Amino acid sequence: MTDLALPIGLIAGALSKSGRIILAACILTGLTGGRTLADGMEQWLPSQPLVEGQRTFQDKFCSTCHGLPGDANAARVAPDLGQVRSWRDTMQLTSSLWNHTPKMIEKMRERGIARPVLSPDEMGKLVAYLFYLNFSEETGDPARGHDIFEQRTCARCHQLAGRGGTVGPRLDELNEAITSSFLAQALWNHGPEMAAKMKDLGIERPHFEANDVADIVALIRGGATPLAPLVRASAAIGSPRAGRAVFNRKGCVRCHAVAGVGGTTGPDLSKVAPARNISEMAGEFWNHGPMMWDAMRTTGVAFSKLSDRDMADLIAYLYFVRYTGRAGDAAKGAAIFKDKGCARCHADGGQENKPAPNLVMSKALETALHWSAAMWNHAATIDNAVRESHATWPTFEDDEMSDLVAYLQSRRGSK
Ligand code: HEC
Ligand code: HEC
Ligand code: HEC
Ligand code: HEC
């Protein structure tokens, strides 16, 4: 599939009634300058984030200090990045890279490693790699899974290890190697049927949170030995790029926009809060099922079944658009621009006589990854300036980086 497929798909969709609204929405966002860092991100959609990213992680010497993530035998002088869970979106990861820069530069000097320069493309691969390591975490707790299975009604209709109801199929016949995305697919495909049976029997529909689906998966697996971590991860996660095609083909795009492009019946899926892992996304599909089926009935979109692969790819895609898509708060960003000392060197509009580029005009504002790469590359300049002036290194917490970028973007057009 080429990058042209999406626009062409949408133009074809414009012949349908919801499509016309889509085009109008694109034109409107274009005119009002409502561009966010999520726009343009689709060009970075990876196909195999773990495979592509690992290569870059090694080529750029990250593995020299950090070791390969999850490798228990690696000789490390820096944290195992497979264990770090301190970021929920690209800007938080960019902040983390930024905050740790002084120590990283020091270690690079010590070890005689030249600080690598990163292009937005390379940064994209690294960011995707670090995010998908995190995403694939599949260690459910079978004991918790057992409680959920009993308490959230599954046992009323399904048998597992010889116990439970017989309204639905026996779940111990499922493959021992099942994953959260497989379960998401099974729950999606059988969802309407299950909901009807629940209604007949007066059973309240259960709700899933965080790790619930992974816990049920661990229960169904029944202690089957999991594969080695990275092998398991590569197999379990889908292809974000293929997921975009599924999203269009299965009609999700008729109700959901991504970065402002698509239908408006459901939420823009790049703007909802990022998910932590596959289990959490699987739970969301289940939780929102009934409202989606209602919307399908009223808008005349047919319910589509999904294959296991389709679901894995879709979830991988939606995970990507959410960790790259979150927008910050421009009002807060105005203060951050000054508080972090950026205003000392940079203009944020038409000021003359500033020693550094006017950031409002910067190409760094193009996408989240342009910004992320620019900040990584820029860190060496700031490190020197900070050393010379004996100042303290300005750190970014929580969403401060997103807020700053949202502010700079909001200044575009105001010369
Ligand atoms: C010369 C050694 C070295 C190299 C090379 C290196 N790092 Fe680091 N990195 C460190 C050290 C040391 C820390 C911890 C710094 C601290 O505690 O402030 C760190 C911290 C980090 C963190 C923050 C982790 C956290 O706890 O949030 C990230 C992310 C990171 N590095 C990513 C990278 C990437 C990506 C590359 C390759 C482009 C890279 N590092 C290359 C030494 C290195
Ligand atoms: C009211 C009865 C009922 C409840 C409660 C129920 N299910 Fe089901 N389930 C069914 C029926 C009926 C089917 C088969 C539907 C079909 O043929 O489309 C099914 C199908 C499934 C399948 C697909 C099985 C396969 O072999 O492909 C899975 C997985 C599943 N359910 C899991 C669950 C889980 C997990 C829960 C608890 C959160 C649950 N179900 C609660 C009735 C129920
Ligand atoms: C007919 C319209 C329609 C179609 C088609 C549709 N959805 Fe939805 N979707 C909705 C609505 C409406 C909601 C909000 C439901 C709610 O709030 O419970 C929603 C919610 C969601 C959510 C939860 C978002 C959140 O707030 O966290 C996800 C994820 C989602 N849909 C994914 C999909 C995917 C993937 C497809 C294609 C397989 C799809 N939807 C197809 C209407 C639709
Ligand atoms: C000591 C002066 C100084 C400070 C303080 C400073 N910068 Fe810079 N900045 C520069 C210079 C000089 C450049 C030109 C490229 C380089 O040397 O990295 C630059 C370039 C950049 C770029 C790349 C712009 C482009 O179009 O390529 C970004 C993004 C950036 N700075 C962001 C920031 C942010 C955010 C802050 C506040 C945390 C900040 N800078 C603080 C001097 C500074």
Side-chain angles (χ1 to χ4, degrees):
M1 193 180 120
T2 70
D3 284 321
L4 282 177
L6 179 69
I8 289 172
L10 286 173
I11 290 162
L15 298 173
S16 73
K17 52 183 176 334
S18 59
R20 237 170 278 136
I21 301 168
I22 298 171
L23 277 187
C26 299
I27 293 165
L28 256 175
T29 17
L31 286 179
T32 54
R35 199 179 149 82
T36 72
L37 285 179
D39 301 310
M41 281 307 298
E42 297 243 340
Q43 66 181 296
W44 312 113
L45 260 176
S47 294
Q48 292 184 289
L50 293 180
V51 178
E52 295 158 1
Q54 179 142 318
R55 211 171 295 139
T56 312
F57 196 73
Q58 288 173 303
D59 289 350
K60 295 291 170 182
F61 308 111
C62 315
S63 56
T64 319
C65 297
H66 290 282
L68 283 181
D71 175 359
N73 302 320
R76 304 197 155 83
V77 297
D80 175 355
L81 296 180
Q83 302 299 321
V84 177
R85 295 282 184 280
S86 57
W87 47 75
R88 277 178 71 100
D89 62 28
T90 308
M91 282 301 146
Q92 289 186 356
L93 176 53
T94 305
S95 307
S96 181
L97 282 166
W98 173 266
N99 295 344
H100 292 282
T101 296
K103 278 242 180 75
M104 278 207 254
I105 288 182
E106 198 184 298
K107 275 272 180 297
M108 287 182 194
R109 278 210 194 95
E110 259 170 51
R111 314 193 89 207
I113 298 173
R115 192 177 153 80
V117 171
L118 298 175
S119 67
D121 192 45
E122 288 161 342
M123 186 55 100
K125 293 198 166 81
L126 289 174
V127 167
Y129 182 57
L130 296 178
F131 268 96
Y132 281 93
L133 284 168
N134 199 332
F135 182 55
S136 61
E137 187 60 53
E138 281 273 348
T139 42
D141 173 352
R144 241 198 117 243
H146 182 264
D147 292 347
I148 295 171
F149 199 78
E150 297 282 330
Q151 288 157 15
R152 310 244 187 112
T153 75
C154 318
R156 296 270 305 265
C157 300
H158 291 288
Q159 289 217 346
L160 202 54
R163 293 185 48 199
T166 53
V167 178
R170 290 182 49 184
L171 295 187
D172 30 18
E173 272 156 24
L174 291 172
N175 193 323
E176 283 188 339
I178 72 160
T179 58
S180 291
S181 69
F182 175 86
L183 196 62
Q185 163 275 132
L187 290 171
W188 173 267
N189 292 339
H190 299 283
E193 193 81 20
M194 277 202 258
K197 279 273 186 304
M198 286 182 189
K199 211 165 163 199
D200 286 353
L201 299 173
I203 295 176
E204 197 189 332
R205 188 182 166 82
H207 192 89
F208 290 135
E209 278 150 32
N211 230 38
D212 291 350
V213 171
D215 292 340
I216 296 177
V217 166
L219 171 73
I220 295 175
R221 272 204 198 130
T225 343
L227 305 169
L230 203 61
V231 176
R232 186 178 75 211
S234 307
I237 67 168
S239 155
R241 187 166 279 275
R244 177 176 61 185
V246 178
F247 189 76
N248 293 336
R249 196 171 71 237
K250 295 291 180 179
C252 316
V253 69
R254 290 184 60 189
C255 293
H256 291 285
V258 166
V261 181
T264 52
T265 308
D268 181 325
L269 295 180
S270 65
K271 308 224 160 106
V272 292
R276 272 191 316 144
N277 54 29
I278 299 180
S279 172
E280 199 169 300
M281 304 249 333
E284 273 177 23
F285 273 81
W286 168 267
N287 295 341
H288 293 280
M291 294 268 282
M292 281 204 251
W293 308 325
D294 279 351
M296 286 177 194
R297 272 189 292 276
T298 52
T299 54
V301 179
F303 174 81
S304 297
K305 290 207 170 182
L306 299 167
S307 70
D308 186 17
R309 187 50 21 201
D310 284 347
M311 183 57 99
D313 292 343
L314 255 184
I315 288 181
Y317 172 59
L318 295 178
Y319 179 64
F320 174 88
V321 301
R322 286 160 70 167
Y323 77 69
T324 53
R326 208 138 64 118
D329 176 337
K332 288 188 190 155
I336 291 166
F337 185 71
K338 292 191 182 67
D339 294 348
K340 306 289 175 191
C342 317
R344 282 198 293 121
C345 299
H346 289 283
D348 58 355
Q351 304 97 325
E352 308 286 330
N353 309 326
K354 292 273 185 172
N358 177 354
L359 287 184
V360 176
M361 306 309 291
S362 171
K363 223 176 135 47
L365 290 183
E366 215 142 281
T367 68
L369 295 175
H370 282 86
W371 179 264
S372 189
M375 291 300 276
W376 168 274
N377 296 334
H378 186 28
T381 304
I382 301 294
D383 189 57
N384 287 334
V386 164
R387 272 165 207 272
E388 276 166 20
S389 60
H390 304 286
T392 46
W393 181 266
T395 57
F396 286 82
E397 307 302 325
D398 302 325
D399 293 326
E400 288 181 339
M401 186 84 84
S402 298
D403 296 342
L404 171 62
V405 168
Y407 166 66
L408 293 172
Q409 288 195 314
S410 74
R411 304 275 301 161
R412 280 192 154 176
S414 60
K415 289 287 146 55

